[in-house]
Amino acid sequence: MGVLQRIIETAQAAPKRIVLCEAQDPRVLQAAVRAQQERIARIVMVGNPAQSVAIASQHGLDISNIIFTDPATSEARERYAQQLYRLREKKGMTLQQAQLAVTQPLCFANLMLHMGDADGSVAGAVHTTADVVRTALQIVGAKASAGSIVSSFFLMIFEHEHHPTKGGMIFSDCGLVIDPDAQQLARIALDSAKSASALLGEAPRIAMLSFSTLGSAQHVNVTKVQQATQLVRQARPDLLIDGEVQLDAAIIPDIASRKLSDSQVHGRANVLIFPDLNAGNIGYKLAERLGGAVAIGPLLQGLNKPANDLSRGCNADDVYNVIAVTCVQAQQLQAQATSGELTSVPAGQ
């Protein structure tokens, strides 16, 4: 079974409430209808239902089974405004500003998630990544683990005939943290390992990427990756990790055997940690555009609850796939809460 099909079936086993705030976008409407029909999620659309009905009609979509919440008329509007005011009061927000802000679908959707009226959020088909991430940070909040950082990853699917190794990989960070220091890079790797465990159906095998392999070059950028690798090993001795390592040694066993005599990953990495956003963004787009991989994301990690981003160039399939991933993340969060593993910091920071 392919990685994506496994994710979809996992979502279908326990559908979660996923809120979508771009209710006037036909790609989002099409994905919402499909997700609802295939029972991967219980969809809630935030926006003006009359406008969405008109757009759906133009595109031949039946949205009669989709639940809509209009911020302008919702009974929850004042309750959400009061909560937003409490979250942002120390940052200078007035109650009147909060009451105006909750009329915006992106803000309203994140408040639904924060208040427990939804299990996950997906946005970004219309909104910029900066808007999506900022709103999530202000309302949903970041996890409280030591050195916590909100970062992003792409779930990359390699399933074409020309791909030498079939399956999924995690690429991080490809969309958010521009130039992480060693501590931040280590946290990105640790969070990406958790994402891999949740989504790939196999144990994470991490490669901390560089233009150097085990000291073959000396530079401050190499030192950063070396330090980050050691921090990951100290935090999680159980993880399989190679670093610093060049890409070919990370993913090709023959090259790994020549360059890395004591490798833990043996050229079979499924989590690639890029040293900065330049490398990560270029790397995932090369794999997608020239390599023919399916790129799902950017997906966010390090938040209290799953609030995921989309590329504004996405299509309906991309939105559907992110809905499925968000549902699985929500399932994982529920399982962690049940086991007592969760800690968090207040939103609004």
Side-chain angles (χ1 to χ4, degrees):
M1 181 188 301
V3 172
L4 187 54
Q5 185 58 38
R6 184 187 303 111
I7 289 170
I8 290 169
E9 291 188 6
T10 301
Q12 289 172 329
K16 297 299 179 183
R17 300 164 298 172
I18 306 300
V19 59
L20 310 175
C21 67
E22 294 159 328
Q24 278 72 58
D25 190 290
R27 299 166 297 175
V28 176
L29 290 173
Q30 183 179 342
V33 170
R34 181 183 172 194
Q36 190 86 2
Q37 289 177 341
E38 298 184 7
R39 298 181 180 180
I40 67 164
R42 291 176 282 152
I43 298 296
V44 179
M45 300 291 294
V46 174
N48 186 306
Q51 294 177 3
S52 295
V53 167
I55 294 170
S57 179
Q58 293 172 8
H59 291 83
L61 298 172
D62 179 5
I63 60 173
S64 59
N65 291 325
I66 302 292
I67 296 173
F68 274 82
T69 297
D70 187 349
T73 60
S74 172
E75 294 179 355
R77 184 176 63 176
E78 186 58 29
R79 177 165 58 93
Y80 285 2
Q82 292 286 345
Q83 179 63 28
L84 181 61
Y85 172 61
R86 286 191 289 270
L87 290 173
R88 304 296 296 163
E89 180 183 10
K90 291 182 180 179
K91 299 295 183 178
M93 177 174 278
T94 66
L95 178 58
Q96 291 74 23
Q97 289 172 330
Q99 290 168 332
L100 179 62
V102 298
T103 64
Q104 302 302 312
L106 179 60
C107 179
F108 192 95
N110 277 271
L111 282 162
M112 286 186 68
L113 182 57
H114 174 70
M115 299 290 283
D117 296 328
D119 302 308
S121 173
V122 175
V126 177
H127 295 87
T128 65
T129 291
D131 285 339
V132 171
V133 174
R134 181 177 58 252
T135 305
L137 278 171
Q138 291 176 349
I139 298 174
V140 178
K143 293 180 181 177
S145 53
S148 177
I149 182 174
V150 176
S151 61
S152 74
F153 68 96
F154 276 82
L155 173 59
M156 306 296 293
I157 309 294
F158 299 88
E159 293 182 343
H160 290 306
E161 185 177 347
H162 68 273
H163 291 142
T165 301
K166 307 295 189 295
M169 299 181 74
I170 300 294
F171 283 24
S172 187
D173 183 343
C174 304
L176 193 57
V177 185
I178 295 175
D179 187 18
D181 60 26
Q183 289 76 20
Q184 291 171 326
L185 195 62
R187 173 50 57 185
I188 290 169
L190 290 166
D191 287 347
S192 297
K194 293 179 181 178
S195 295
S197 296
L199 298 174
L200 298 182
E202 58 186 25
R205 302 181 297 276
I206 305 169
M208 305 292 287
L209 297 180
S210 173
F211 61 84
S212 169
T213 296
L214 297 186
S216 64
Q218 295 185 1
H219 189 273
V220 62
N221 290 340
V222 175
T223 302
K224 178 180 77 171
V225 179
Q226 292 170 338
Q227 292 173 343
T229 303
Q230 291 305 313
L231 290 171
V232 173
R233 286 178 172 147
Q234 292 169 12
R236 289 281 308 275
D238 58 303
L239 288 175
L240 300 177
I241 182 170
D242 282 345
E244 88 285 9
V245 62
Q246 293 166 316
L247 177 64
D248 54 359
I251 63 173
I252 300 176
D254 286 348
I255 295 178
S257 66
R258 293 196 295 270
K259 290 187 176 182
L260 292 163
S261 58
D262 60 348
S263 172
Q264 296 182 356
V265 174
H266 303 292
R268 293 183 173 85
N270 58 9
V271 178
L272 300 184
I273 304 301
F274 294 87
D276 58 39
L277 194 59
N278 276 319
N281 193 266
I282 293 167
Y284 102 79
K285 288 182 177 178
L286 278 172
E288 179 185 25
R289 302 301 181 181
L290 294 182
V294 174
I296 301 175
L299 304 163
L300 302 181
Q301 54 191 8
L303 291 167
N304 284 326
K305 296 181 180 181
N308 281 321
D309 191 21
L310 294 162
S311 167
R312 283 179 289 171
C314 65
N315 58 36
D317 287 342
D318 296 327
V319 182
Y320 173 87
N321 291 339
V322 174
I323 291 170
V325 169
T326 305
C327 184
V328 173
Q329 289 177 321
Q331 292 172 347
Q332 291 289 322
L333 184 70
Q334 184 181 56
Q336 291 169 9
T338 301
S339 66
E341 294 178 18
L342 290 179
T343 57
S344 63
V345 293
Q349 302 303 308

